[in-house]
Structures are given as C-alpha cells and as structure tokens.
Amino acid sequence: LTLATARETADGECRTALVPETAKKFAALGARLRMEQSAGVQSHFLDPDYVGVDFAPGLAETYAGADVILRVTPPSPAEIAALPEGALLIGLLKPYESKERLAALNARRITAFALELLPRVSRAQSMDALSSQGSCAGYQCGLIAAARCTKFFPMLTTAAGTIRPARVLVIGAGVAGLQAIATCKRLGAMVEAYDVRAAAREQIESLGAKFVDTGVSADGAGGYARELSAEEKAAQAEKLAKAVAQADVVITTAAIPGKRAPVIITNEMVGRMKYGAIIVDMAAESGGNCALTQPGEHVVANDVNIHGPLNLPSRMPTHASELYAKNLYNFLSPWIKDGTLAIDWSDEIVAGTLLCRDGATVHTLVKQVMG
Ligand code: NAD
C-alpha cells in the first residue's frame, strides 16, 4: 500500500496532509509513504523531519503507482490528470463547489472521500477535519478582531481612567464560533453570542458569554441548522439588530451545509453600527453572513470595517496541519492491516463520507445539490 502526498498548490495554502508524526504511524501499519519534495515546508516540517518517507521531485513522480492520495484541498484539473486511475483520494474536497471537478474525478474512476461529509457521530470525532480546522478558523477570527479593533478588548484600570471592555457579538456558535467566543473571552472582551440551534445556548453560556435570545430556533438534520423561513428571518433580524448596533466587533460564522451562507447582517444593520466597528465574516468563503462582505477583501462602509478573510486555518499551518493529518490518520488507519487496505464499505462513517466511486458521484445530498 503506497500513500502519497503532493505539495498543495491552491493560492495561499500552507497546510500539508502528512506530518512527520502521522507518517511514522502510517509506516508502523506497513504502508509505504511518498511525498513531493518540500511538501511540508510551508507548515515548517522539513523533508529530513519525515522518517521513512520517500521524496519525489514532482507531481507525476509523487503520484506514480500510489494507491491512496492524501490532500488538504481539492486537486486542480492538472492534478486530477496526474492521479493514478482508480486511486483513492481523501481530503477537504469542497464537494459542492464544482460539477466539473466531480466529472473529472469520475472520469478517472477515483474513489473520493470528502471529509466535509463525515457524519458527526461520536466515533468520528477524532476524524472530524471540519471541527479541527473550524477551531483554527475561530481562533484566527478572534485574533483578527482584536488586532483590528481600535479599542482594548479587556477592561483596564489605568492612572488615566478606566477603560471599558470591548463588546463582541459572535453570530453562529458551532465549532468555529465557540472557539472565537473562547478566544475573545481570554482576551478580556465582553462577549455575546447567538445561534439558531437550541443546544448552542448552553455551550455559549458555559464559555461565560451571554446568549442573545431572538426566539428563533431552527434545528435541522444531523445536528446542523436548517434554513430559516422568511418570518423567522424577520424575527431574528429585529432582535439581532440591537445587539449588532451595540457591538464593537461582530464575528459571524453561520453556515448551512451545501447552501450559500445565510445573510444575517443587512446593509441597514451595518448602517446602524458604531463608527469604527468591525465585522469579521468567517462565512466569506460561502458568500458571507454580511451583505457587504467581499471574499478575501476588507471593505469599509459607514466607517464600519468588514473583513472577509479566506482560508483562516492556513494562517496557522503548523497546528492546522498537525490536527488535519491526525484526522486523516484516524479515518484511514482502521482499514489498514499488514500494509494492505481493506475498507468496509457498509461502515456508517465510510459510506457517509464517500463522494465518488466507480465513476459516479454517490453521496445523496451532493447528488441532489450538484445534479
Ligand atoms: P456549521 O459550520 O455548519 O455552522 C456554524 C453555525 O452556524 C452552526 O452552529 C449553525 O447552527 C449556525 N447557524 C446557521 N444558520 C444560522 C443563522 N441563520 N443564524 C445564526 N446561526 C446560524 O456548524 P459546525 O460548527 O460544523 O457544527 C454543526 C453541528 O455539529 C453542531 O451541532 C455541533 O455541535 C455539531 N458537531 C458535532 C460533532 C460530533 O459529534 N462529532 C463534531 C463537531 C460538531
């Protein structure tokens, strides 16, 4: 069994799917490992750090004859062309992003696992890349907010007088939102938060933040939120507008799997925010929770600074890669025995994460959304 990892080529991507620790563990299971030269360098893992890994000079040499390809981001068309026909590919493959990519993977009969699709069951927690990377992203949102805020986050008592703590509002308290709350609390801000899922209230309060009650609750399937009706959206907007207007910082992380991010902060709400306030919109990648967000940009409207940062985990690639590589190891290792791969295709986690097999897209929700 040969596992291969090439250098990530997506713009600004600094993470890697194989770190020295997981390479050692895969090797202990009898797998052979091949890596493109310097593939770990941007995460600060140098080639000599990887014990028992063969290094290859380019993409074709790295992938030649490999059975399993470990990636962080989806492969580009050129990279798909270099995948060995019938190989197994695993990564954060953005299953809802591109029909062309799905067609190209199927044309090469790639067995593809998209970790975004991993069922959120207890047994899968150690494999949950959305959670590990979400924690990195939420932490980064808190840091961006603190660095851009023109106020102190903590309360300060100084000789010149007392400084009131900054007011932070976090909208969307999933994995990333909770980490943003924790990060802002550690920095001393006064934090309020909101989520449509009823269970989020207790989690928000356990971090010492105040729950903003809008009276709207919308639990969907699999522990995720569902889309709101027009009436629910109006009720939510009315209650949230007040909290948004009082905040120095608003961090938004609201997402619905397979859909555009809900627009929660309207132009009008931005118009009523404090001058100099900041929005860090973590949902920028999937369209943004603020109507004015531009993905990857910083825009100013009504003296409010709206940040739409992309690929936040890649800003802390060492730990993001370590956690991600462990997720991959935990996903694959149960199926590696004596250096061979024997997957139980009926396993709930395997079946739920499977995107493409035998030349077809097989995941039910992805098929529905992507046609
Ligand atoms: P996500 O990234 O899909 O969405 C982020 C948050 O946005 C969610 O909390 C969601 O409820 C919220 N949201 C959606 N629409 C909203 C709106 N209109 N207004 C306000 N908030 C809105 O979420 P996630 O972080 O991936 O977590 C989703 C769920 O999965 C949570 O219930 C989480 O606890 C659960 N989870 C379970 C496991 C596990 O058991 N293995 C692991 C991780 C997460």
Side-chain angles (χ1 to χ4, degrees):
L1 175 72
T2 300
L3 272 56
T5 301
R7 206 169 334 164
E8 296 290 324
T9 54
D11 249 6
E13 183 55 70
C14 296
R15 292 169 293 174
T16 178
L18 188 67
V19 300
E21 188 187 337
T22 56
K24 211 161 124 190
K25 289 169 103 175
F26 276 126
L29 297 177
R32 275 196 302 264
L33 294 146
R34 199 178 311 124
M35 209 171 176
E36 187 174 356
Q37 279 166 5
S38 308
V41 164
Q42 296 216 76
S43 304
H44 309 289
F45 300 112
L46 309 187
D47 294 357
D49 298 337
Y50 290 86
V51 178
V53 175
D54 294 328
F55 282 88
L59 188 68
E61 294 89 339
T62 304
Y63 283 169
D67 305 292
V68 177
I69 311 290
L70 307 176
R71 287 193 64 95
V72 181
T73 60
S76 66
E79 286 161 334
I80 293 177
L83 292 173
E85 197 153 356
L88 191 150
L89 168 71
I90 170 164
L92 285 166
L93 301 181
K94 301 192 178 176
Y96 300 105
E97 191 181 64
S98 159
K99 287 183 186 176
E100 291 72 27
R101 184 162 60 232
L102 288 174
L105 289 172
N106 288 328
R108 294 198 68 72
R109 306 186 75 76
I110 299 300
T111 299
F113 286 106
L115 282 172
E116 292 93 334
L117 305 174
L118 186 87
R120 251 67 195 274
V121 295
S122 310
R123 185 163 60 90
Q125 278 183 10
S126 66
M127 315 166 191
D128 193 335
L130 281 188
S131 290
S132 71
Q133 304 307 293
S135 294
C136 297
Y139 174 74
Q140 289 293 322
C141 275
L143 297 186
I144 292 171
R148 303 293 169 146
C149 188
T150 54
K151 297 183 173 180
F152 274 113
F153 264 30
M155 186 182 93
L156 284 189
T157 310
T158 79
T162 302
I163 296 279
R164 289 168 62 82
R167 288 184 77 130
V168 175
L169 171 67
V170 177
I171 299 176
V175 177
L178 290 172
Q179 194 56 243
I181 295 170
T183 304
C184 294
K185 283 294 292 179
R186 286 182 199 116
L187 288 168
M190 226 164 69
V191 185
E192 292 185 312
Y194 168 66
D195 196 290
V196 279
R197 285 179 301 105
R201 179 187 204 128
E202 195 187 319
Q203 291 162 352
I204 290 168
E205 289 176 347
S206 75
L207 290 171
K210 187 172 162 248
F211 180 70
V212 179
D213 198 348
T214 66
V216 175
S217 113
D219 290 274
Y224 287 103
R226 61 165 169 78
E227 230 173 349
L228 300 184
S229 67
E231 294 82 53
E232 287 172 326
K233 274 186 190 160
Q236 182 192 62
E238 195 188 317
K239 291 275 169 44
L240 267 186
K242 196 167 152 222
V244 170
Q246 288 172 343
D248 298 303
V249 167
V250 179
I251 295 173
T252 60
T253 74
I256 311 275
K259 300 227 150 85
R260 186 206 183 282
V263 176
I264 297 172
I265 305 195
T266 57
N267 287 2
E268 205 193 344
M269 281 157 106
V270 173
R272 279 186 288 174
M273 286 179 77
K274 288 184 190 170
Y275 290 129
I278 294 172
I279 298 174
V280 183
D281 190 349
M282 206 195 85
E285 221 141 319
S286 50
N289 291 144
C290 172
L292 296 169
T293 298
Q294 295 291 334
E297 306 282 333
H298 163 213
V299 294
V300 183
N302 187 42
D303 204 24
V304 173
N305 291 272
I306 304 159
H307 298 271
L310 300 175
N311 198 359
L312 287 163
S314 180
R315 296 187 186 206
M316 48 186 307
T318 308
H319 272 166
S321 298
E322 263 178 29
L323 293 172
Y324 179 74
K326 282 184 193 173
N327 295 145
L328 286 184
Y329 176 79
N330 292 331
F331 182 87
L332 270 180
S333 58
W335 313 115
I336 304 177
K337 302 229 162 49
D338 304 324
T340 57
L341 194 63
I343 293 180
D344 173 0
W345 299 99
S346 68
D347 178 85
E348 177 191 14
I349 295 173
V350 168
T353 314
L354 190 62
L355 174 64
C356 302
R357 194 176 178 205
D358 293 332
T361 304
V362 296
H363 190 272
T364 316
L365 185 59
V366 176
K367 271 200 294 192
Q368 257 173 36
V369 174
M370 303 302 280

